[in-house]
Amino acid sequence: MKKNPVIGITAEWNPFHSGHAVMIKEIRKSFPDARIISAMSGSFVQRGEPAIFDKWSRASWSISSGVDAVFEYPALYVLQSADSFSENAVHLLHDLGCTHIAFSTESLDKNQLFDIARWMQTEDYTARLHQELKNGLPYSRAASAAINSFSNKLYQELIKPNNLLGLRYVETVSKYYPDLEVFITHRDMEHNISASDARAQLLETGSSLLLPPNIQEEAEILMQSGNYTDFNRYEDACLFMSKALGLSDLSDSGLFTEGLENKWKKEAEKTTFPQMLSGIKSKRYLYSKLKRISASLLLSGTKKPSP
């Protein structure tokens, strides 16, 4: 007897907006008998910041919109590079019994993504990647440069964030789980809804029309009652932690390489967190990576990470 499909989604729902609701409806239309489960980032998200709303509200909103169950994706994996974030998410969804993973892209379809993923397992790609790493680029940018040297047209498509994240999911499926099916929906780029736009509206006005109507009301209540992330206070906490920790604490944290902790400690004397990050940022250390380090420091303090 054939089992009903179990569709897995990696999500942050930060916040849950109308585009997310459309995606779930499309999955339901294609798989009416399926269970839909989500591996959702908890209090922190992959960009290295706290989510705007608590994880319970965000999970509840996805359940009310058609998801059957939400499992927290641990911060240990959330606060990683996009490659590690997506790979570990696929491992988790597979271990939870998913038969399919679903995600949205701006343009690329399943066959295109698998073609790219297979090429990235060839000697040609490896040689191009190693050359870019020798040029001093961090891994993610070296990978993009290697793709650009192979095909500028392909590179231009993979600049789009959901195309790129989709590729990372498919890479993991291709390497480890050939029986795991992939289901892709395409974002409406003419009426594109982004979580960053929704957050900006919420922080500026206390409301956002980009959220489904029932969620709009709940989000407004959370904003009015102060139950949302004050990013200014969060940045102050990050700066304070960097000032409070000694150089040996930073070295022992396991979060720094190539002597970055020395630059980190020096720049922690700046007045604001953005000023501190601006002093550290380089071609090799992008803001996203620095923010993930800051979040990890705030969560772990002087404790060394688990092996």
Side-chain angles (χ1 to χ4, degrees), residues 218-231:
E218 292 184 33
E220 288 174 10
I221 291 171
L222 290 174
M223 295 298 294
Q224 290 167 7
S225 61
N227 290 305
Y228 66 94
T229 296
D230 182 329
F231 289 97

Side-chain angles (χ1 to χ4, degrees), residues 97-117:
C98 290
T99 59
H100 299 64
I101 61 166
F103 53 86
S104 291
T105 64
E106 291 90 353
S107 58
L108 296 178
D109 62 28
K110 180 169 71 172
N111 291 332
Q112 290 172 312
L113 289 173
F114 271 101
D115 285 344
I116 301 166

Side-chain angles (χ1 to χ4, degrees), residues 145-165:
I147 292 170
N148 190 28
S149 70
F150 175 73
S151 168
N152 180 258
K153 182 178 179 181
L154 180 59
Y155 169 77
Q156 293 299 326
E157 291 302 311
L158 290 173
I159 289 176
K160 301 169 185 175
N162 290 282
N163 280 346
L164 181 58
L165 197 58

Side-chain angles (χ1 to χ4, degrees), residues 122-191:
T122 66
E123 292 183 359
D124 180 30
Y125 169 74
T126 300
R128 293 172 190 266
L129 174 65
H130 285 171
Q131 181 57 53
E132 299 299 341
L133 290 171
K134 287 180 181 178
N135 293 337
L137 292 179
Y139 183 86
S140 60
R141 293 183 66 178
S144 296
I147 292 170
N148 190 28
S149 70
F150 175 73
S151 168
N152 180 258
K153 182 178 179 181
L154 180 59
Y155 169 77
Q156 293 299 326
E157 291 302 311
L158 290 173
I159 289 176
K160 301 169 185 175
N162 290 282
N163 280 346
L164 181 58
L165 197 58
L167 174 60
R168 300 309 183 199
Y169 295 138
V170 167
E171 275 189 279
T172 305
V173 171
S174 178
K175 287 180 182 178
Y176 301 104
Y177 306 117
D179 294 332
L180 190 60
E181 296 289 333
V182 171
F183 179 76
I184 296 176
T185 63
H186 291 296
R187 295 174 69 97
D188 180 355
M189 300 309 294
E190 185 177 349
H191 307 95

Side-chain angles (χ1 to χ4, degrees), residues 198-210:
R199 288 194 301 275
Q201 291 177 4
L202 286 161
L203 291 170
E204 183 176 347
T205 69
S207 181
S208 174
L209 295 177
L210 300 179

